[in-house]
């Protein structure tokens, strides 16, 4: 069985159907491309064939290139391997586009159309863009676009060059630079595709039979072509390119090689003939792929994220799909968890101490659905269906038959113990009990449970409906079925899980707190707050530490500091940080929620600027540190904590450490995560920086033994992982 098959109809239309065996979504492999190439040759050579329609045997057209194949091109053939692989695709797509026409007269080619039943992404759109007309089914669920930039590459099979020439650089920008996806109607309105019809295959077939020579010559292959919006040296085009460079740099801070390479490919490509432009595109694509950042991003944001979602670390236990979940506490987190569960088709019992609190929790879901209806992402029927699954009550008896409980009441061990006992009195003996605590050890909370092997942590991040990561925490006694249940639940609600062991702050919060603290500590030392915030952003952190603490709230920081100090006693290392945040709290500058924090906010809550009142309490030192010193402090504060979590066995898998860091707290995505970043630096260089930082700033920067050992042996984290035999 091959990925593409061809059926030559009696009417002279050859229908090529893409249907990769054994997969629910088509993805292109190099073997698939070779097969398609052979069929196109056959169709163009066959006198009986008047034209071709390329379609899919599945409900969607295609999900894109198999990114494992792209990673493989590089591993096997280096830069030349990537370039040759990409040029092979260019030749195939160019062959489709020119369709056997006479190069001079542009006559005698065979019309080739694409018929898209559903989603068409990446190469799944680049291939249709090379055909002469694109027909899509009127399927509002379908997504059409070029999302490559989201995983650190850019459309490299002609998508960049063709879309720029079709729409002009300005109109193509959101699709290329932001990876914007559209439904078929919006895609047609934007000029990405040509027609939206009931039956794309039939419409494409009719069009192919009626098409004339002139219908199949692309504008850029016709005489007198001018790029819409103007080439870079045209006055209007010049403005576009200058603006685009500034915008891209502003958004990416220059840390994403793909965005820069994409702009270069568009700019340079716009000044040369089409075939030259494809070659330039291929060169820049190769350049990006050879950059360690793109492999690190593909590794974490695609390959390993998917592996974790598919249960790479799931114990071998029978299916644990959740049918009825009980949620204790209908506050901010409980309401969010109820919503995502009901959206996933799970029946929900949402419990709170008072009926109006439970009702408010359910109303949260109604509010989110109303917003989605406003954006045409949901319907009234969908809303009724989702809300129909949520029972908001104070009655614990309603928990009967729940196979999973997620507890999200106040962060108070006594309250948690009480609701644990009340729920366990009602739920089936084999139900799993999960707590959403963010700070209390799972092992301690499990003491209230009669079945500690069925007790586990499922730690969501706020806001639940938006955040993609869920941390699953194993207590000492947690058994494999509880882990499998938690993983199956996370799969159902379509989030990405990491599984960690029980320790203070688990993984994500453990790493993010030192990042925030380092920023605040520098304020106390008199480092310019603007320098602190910009240093973080120039490393690709989405939020500087001071903005982040404003968002999460300064009083939460105070609460955590007090609790941590009480637990650690003499060993507590963060007195200098506390001095600053306790003072901020005394000024009632609690962050965004009081419209006053390290930043100022206007009446509508819009962030304005860093608060200048800080200077009176913490005057800026005359001698400011180098940018790189500030950056190293902020980055090592997080990464060394991640390494310690690994050393101490809290993290069991660096893939989880990297994926969790990017999805959980936005750790510089270009780096692929803290372990990816350390690998890029090299362990020896990382140790050198630790030695420098610890000499100047203290033991918190001391190189962990694992890093020293790796520096001595010349190992990398992913090198070690690859060398380790593993099941997944
Ligand atoms: P919240 O105060 O918004 O909600 C807690 C809810 O529990 C309230 O509605 C309260 O009425 C209810 N409740 C209290 N006692 C109860 C009882 N005996 N029976 C039934 N309901 C009871 O708090 P939240 O922010 O949703 O946090 C809940 C849990 O989630 C905490 O353990 C917290 O540490 C954890 N958590 C919070 C966040 C966050 O960002 N807020 C993130 C991850 C985890």
């Amino acid at each position: 069985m091959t990925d593409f098959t061809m059926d030559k109809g009696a009417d002279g239309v050859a229908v090529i159907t893409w249907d990769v065996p054994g997969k629910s979504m088509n993805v292109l492999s190099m073997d698939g491309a070779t097969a398609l190439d052979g069929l196109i040759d056959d169709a163009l050579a066959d006198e009986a064939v008047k034209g071709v329609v390329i379609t899919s045997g599945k409900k969607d057209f295609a999900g894109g290139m198999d990114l494992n194949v792209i990673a493989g091109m590089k591993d096997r053939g280096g830069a030349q391997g990537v370039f040759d692989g990409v040029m092979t695709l260019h030749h195939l797509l160019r062959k489709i586009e020119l369709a056997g026409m006479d190069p001079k007269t542009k006559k005698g080619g065979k019309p080739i159309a694409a018929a898209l039943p559903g989603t068409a992404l990446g190469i799944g759109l680049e291939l249709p863009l090379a055909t002469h007309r694109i027909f899509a089914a009127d399927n509002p669920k379908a997504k059409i676009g070029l999302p490559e930039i989201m995983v650190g590459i850019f459309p490299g099979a002609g998508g960049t060059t063709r879309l720029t020439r079709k729409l002009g650089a300005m109109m193509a920008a959101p699709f290329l630079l932001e990876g914007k996806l559209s439904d078929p109607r919006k895609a047609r309105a934007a000029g990405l595709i040509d027609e939206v019809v009931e039956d794309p295959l039939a419409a494409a077939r009719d069009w192919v039979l009626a098409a004339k020579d002139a219908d199949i010559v692309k504008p850029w292959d016709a005489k007198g072509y001018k790029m819409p919006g103007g080439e870079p040296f045209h006055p209007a085009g010049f403005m576009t390119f200058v603006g685009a460079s500034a915008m891209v740099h502003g958004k990416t801070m220059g840390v994403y090689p793909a965005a820069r390479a994409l702009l270069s490919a568009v700019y340079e490509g716009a000044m040369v003939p089409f075939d030259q432009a494809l070659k330039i595109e291929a060169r820049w694509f190769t350049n990006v792929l050879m950059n360690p950042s793109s492999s690190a991003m593909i590794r974490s944001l695609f390959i390993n994220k998917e592996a974790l979602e598919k249960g790479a670390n799931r114990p071998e236990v029978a299916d644990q799909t959740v049918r009825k979940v009980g949620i204790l506490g209908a506050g901010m987190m409980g309401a969010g968890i109820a919503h995502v569960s009901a959206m996933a088709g799970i029946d929900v019992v949402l419990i709170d101490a008072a009926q109006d609190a439970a009702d408010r929790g359910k109303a949260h879901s109604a509010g989110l659905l109303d917003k989605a209806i406003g954006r045409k992402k949901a319907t009234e029927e969908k809303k009724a269906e989702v809300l129909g699954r949520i029972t908001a009550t104070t009655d614990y008896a309603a928990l009967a038959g729940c196979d999973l409980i997620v507890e999200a009441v106040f962060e108070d061990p006594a309250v948690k113990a009480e609701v644990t006992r009340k729920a366990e009195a009602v739920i089936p003996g084999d139900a799993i009990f999960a707590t959403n605590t963010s700070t209390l050890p799972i092992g301690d909370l499990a003491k209230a449970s009669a079945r500690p092997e069925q007790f586990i942590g499922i730690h969501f991040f706020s806001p639940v409906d938006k955040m993609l990561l869920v941390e699953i925490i194993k207590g000492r006694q947690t058994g494999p079925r509880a882990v499998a249940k938690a993983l199956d639940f996370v799969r159902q609600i379509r989030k990405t899980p990491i599984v960690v062991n029980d320790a203070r702050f688990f993984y994500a919060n453990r790493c993010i707190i030192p990042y925030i603290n380092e920023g605040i500590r520098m304020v106390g030392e008199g480092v310019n707050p603007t320098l602190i915030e910009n240093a973080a952003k120039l490393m690709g952190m989405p939020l500087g530490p001071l903005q982040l603490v404003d968002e999460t709230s300064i009083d939460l920081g105070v609460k955590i500091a007090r609790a941590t100090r009480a637990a650690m006693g003499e060993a507590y290392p963060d007195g200098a940080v506390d001095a600053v945040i306790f003072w901020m709290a005394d000024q009632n500058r609690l962050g965004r929620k009081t419209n006053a924090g390290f930043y100022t906010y206007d009446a509508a809550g819009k962030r304005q600027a860093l608060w200048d009142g800080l200077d009176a309490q913490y005057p800026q030192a005359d001698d400011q540190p180098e940018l790189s010193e500030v950056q190293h402090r902020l980055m090592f504060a997080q990464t060394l904590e991640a390494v310690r979590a690994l050393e101490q066995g809290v993290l069991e898998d660096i893939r989880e450490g990297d994926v969790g860091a990017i999805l959980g707290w936005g750790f510089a995505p270009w780096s692929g995560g803290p372990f990816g970043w350390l690998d890029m630096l090299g362990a020896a260089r990382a140790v050198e920086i630790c030695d420098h930082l610890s000499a100047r700033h203290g033991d918190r920067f001391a190189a962990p033994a694992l890093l020293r050992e790796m520096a001595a042996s010349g190992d990398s984290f992913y090198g070690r992982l690859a060398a380790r035999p593993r099941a997944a």
Side-chain angles (χ1 to χ4, degrees):
M1 286 232 284
T2 59
D3 294 359
F4 291 88
T5 50
M6 182 157 70
D7 178 26
K8 294 176 182 170
D11 57 358
V13 177
V15 175
I16 295 179
T17 303
W18 190 358
D19 197 351
V20 179
K23 294 218 171 183
S24 59
M25 177 70 100
N26 288 325
V27 287
L28 192 69
S29 63
M30 287 318 273
D31 285 346
T34 308
L36 177 61
D37 197 68
L39 296 180
I40 295 290
D41 280 342
D42 176 350
L44 293 180
D46 188 340
E47 301 250 314
V49 172
K50 296 194 186 108
V52 178
V53 176
I54 303 175
T55 190
S56 157
K58 306 196 189 291
K59 76 177 177 28
D60 290 311
F61 185 66
M65 194 76 196
D66 183 341
L67 286 181
N68 287 295
V69 171
I70 297 185
M73 275 185 201
K74 176 180 164 184
D75 293 345
R76 280 190 304 277
Q80 193 65 47
V82 174
F83 182 75
D84 292 346
V86 174
M87 285 311 291
T88 307
L89 291 177
H90 279 320
H91 289 138
L92 163 62
L93 297 189
R94 195 66 176 133
K95 185 189 293 180
I96 292 173
E97 191 158 56
L98 296 174
M101 65 182 71
D102 182 283
K104 283 223 165 65
T105 63
K106 313 282 183 213
K107 290 199 159 96
K110 292 185 183 179
I112 302 182
L116 318 178
T119 289
L121 299 176
I123 188 97
L125 178 59
E126 291 180 294
L127 166 59
L129 282 171
T131 68
H132 306 120
R133 200 154 183 89
I134 308 174
F135 296 82
D138 193 3
N139 170 358
K141 290 219 170 106
K143 289 195 166 60
I144 295 183
L146 300 166
E148 284 87 342
I149 199 83
M150 307 304 285
V151 288
I153 53 177
F154 70 87
T160 297
T161 301
R162 286 196 175 84
L163 207 64
T164 309
R165 293 196 182 218
K166 199 172 153 93
L167 306 182
M170 177 89 96
M171 302 307 277
F175 302 105
L176 296 174
L177 280 170
E178 294 164 24
K180 179 179 169 187
L181 306 182
S182 313
D183 65 30
R185 284 175 187 231
K186 290 208 183 94
R188 180 189 52 193
L192 240 56
I193 62 170
D194 301 297
E195 295 193 37
V196 179
V197 292
E198 274 301 303
D199 182 348
L201 181 55
R205 187 188 285 273
D206 290 348
W207 182 85
V208 159
L209 287 170
K212 304 274 181 302
D213 278 337
D215 296 333
I216 70 166
V217 180
K218 289 287 174 70
W220 44 89
D221 285 321
K223 260 213 171 79
Y225 166 75
K226 286 209 167 40
M227 185 183 281
E231 275 101 351
F233 41 79
H234 182 277
F238 174 78
M239 296 304 287
T240 306
F241 280 91
V242 170
S245 290
M247 189 196 82
V248 167
H249 213 76
K251 276 198 176 167
T252 64
M253 299 289 159
V255 290
Y256 292 91
R260 264 189 302 176
L262 168 66
L263 268 189
S264 300
V266 169
Y267 180 82
E268 293 167 18
M271 294 192 275
V272 295
F274 188 80
D275 288 292
Q276 286 295 106
L278 288 180
K279 229 181 210 173
I280 289 175
E281 186 191 289
R283 290 224 171 92
W284 276 114
F285 185 82
T286 306
N287 175 292
V288 164
L289 225 66
M290 296 312 291
N291 189 307
S293 164
S294 80
S295 344
M297 280 180 80
I298 293 178
R299 183 177 60 211
S300 288
L301 290 174
F302 179 77
I303 298 173
N304 291 342
K305 176 173 171 290
E306 202 173 277
L308 298 179
E309 285 161 2
K310 287 195 173 148
N313 293 328
R314 186 185 184 282
E316 285 190 23
V317 168
D319 178 41
Q320 296 292 320
T321 299
V322 176
R323 312 212 179 280
K324 184 174 173 190
V325 64
I327 295 166
L328 313 183
M332 186 167 88
M333 298 305 287
I337 301 166
H339 175 72
V340 297
S341 304
M343 287 290 286
I346 303 171
D347 285 331
V348 177
V349 178
L350 181 58
I351 295 225
D352 209 294
Q355 185 62 39
D356 64 332
D359 290 341
R360 266 198 308 279
K362 183 168 172 176
H364 171 72
S365 198
L368 289 176
L369 284 157
D370 282 339
K371 259 196 211 151
I373 293 171
R375 281 185 277 114
K376 299 210 160 37
K377 298 269 184 232
T379 57
E380 288 293 342
E381 296 77 62
K382 170 89 178 172
K383 178 181 167 189
E385 182 194 318
V386 172
L387 293 181
R389 283 193 203 108
I390 305 178
T391 307
T393 177
T394 58
D395 181 8
Y396 278 71
L399 296 174
C402 284
D403 49 321
L404 174 69
I405 298 291
V406 181
E407 170 276 303
V409 297
F410 296 144
E411 190 75 338
D412 176 335
V415 180
K416 288 192 187 292
E418 185 204 329
V419 300
T420 305
R421 280 190 285 267
K422 274 165 86 173
E424 283 191 356
V426 184
I427 56 178
D430 62 353
I432 301 297
F433 191 103
T435 171
N436 181 47
T437 179
S438 25
T439 57
L440 303 168
I442 304 302
D444 289 356
L445 295 178
K447 288 182 188 146
S449 167
R451 332 145 170 165
E453 71 290 350
Q454 286 160 233
F455 195 98
I456 193 163
I458 303 186
H459 181 218
F460 284 84
F461 295 83
S462 171
V464 177
D465 59 305
K466 295 225 171 64
M467 295 297 286
L468 301 171
L469 185 73
V470 177
E471 217 170 5
I472 294 171
I473 304 114
K474 296 186 280 189
R476 250 186 336 278
Q477 291 173 275
T478 303
R481 202 171 59 78
V483 177
K485 186 91 187 173
L487 283 167
D488 288 357
F489 178 51
V490 174
R491 177 179 42 73
Q492 283 175 276
I493 58 174
R494 292 164 172 263
K495 297 202 182 279
T496 308
I498 62 171
V499 182
V500 302
N501 287 302
D502 198 7
R504 175 172 292 280
F505 300 133
F506 317 130
Y507 174 62
N509 287 343
R510 169 186 183 143
C511 297
I512 193 72
I513 293 171
Y515 168 65
I516 292 177
N517 283 355
E518 201 59 30
I520 296 174
R521 196 187 297 269
M522 284 192 254
V523 170
E525 291 169 12
V527 178
N528 182 338
T530 308
L531 174 58
I532 300 170
E533 295 291 89
N534 284 346
K537 291 203 184 138
L538 286 167
M539 283 306 289
M541 292 300 293
L543 271 65
L546 305 179
Q547 188 185 344
L548 187 57
V549 71
D550 263 13
E551 296 292 335
T552 52
S553 94
I554 285 164
D555 51 330
L556 178 67
V558 168
K559 231 163 113 185
I560 292 176
R562 290 218 166 96
T564 314
R565 187 192 288 225
M568 291 182 79
E570 287 295 298
Y572 183 71
D574 290 326
V577 177
D578 294 355
V580 180
I581 54 166
F582 288 19
W583 180 77
M584 288 290 285
D586 286 345
Q587 313 301 307
N588 199 31
R589 298 194 72 91
L590 304 184
R592 176 180 287 287
K593 68 181 187 187
T594 51
N595 254 7
F598 285 102
Y599 283 84
T600 56
Y601 299 81
D602 68 12
K606 194 162 186 284
R607 198 165 45 82
Q608 302 290 301
L610 278 154
W611 177 46
D612 55 11
L614 213 49
D615 203 42
Q617 182 73 8
Y618 298 105
Q620 286 171 33
D622 292 337
D623 249 356
Q624 290 292 318
E626 291 286 327
L627 173 67
S628 62
E629 173 102 358
V630 178
Q631 289 182 318
H632 283 156
R633 286 179 69 173
L634 293 172
M635 293 297 277
F636 276 83
Q638 308 167 65
T639 40
L640 292 182
E641 208 50 54
V643 175
R644 287 183 206 114
L646 182 70
E647 253 182 344
Q648 294 162 8
V650 175
L651 264 184
E652 292 179 351
D653 182 338
I654 55 167
R655 298 178 299 171
E656 293 179 307
D658 274 350
V659 173
I662 298 176
L663 301 187
W665 76 92
F667 183 92
W670 64 270
S671 69
F675 298 101
W677 186 63
L678 287 173
D679 276 0
M680 269 183 224
L681 273 181
R685 172 81 184 119
V687 165
E688 217 176 275
I689 298 172
C690 288
D691 289 346
H692 168 83
L693 291 178
S694 57
R696 286 173 65 99
H697 305 289
D699 281 352
R700 65 188 181 283
F701 290 113
L706 174 61
L707 206 56
R708 274 197 198 282
E709 189 190 309
M710 283 174 43
S713 59
D715 268 357
S716 65
F717 287 104
Y718 279 94
R720 286 186 162 203
L721 181 76
R724 205 178 74 187
R726 50 165 216 267

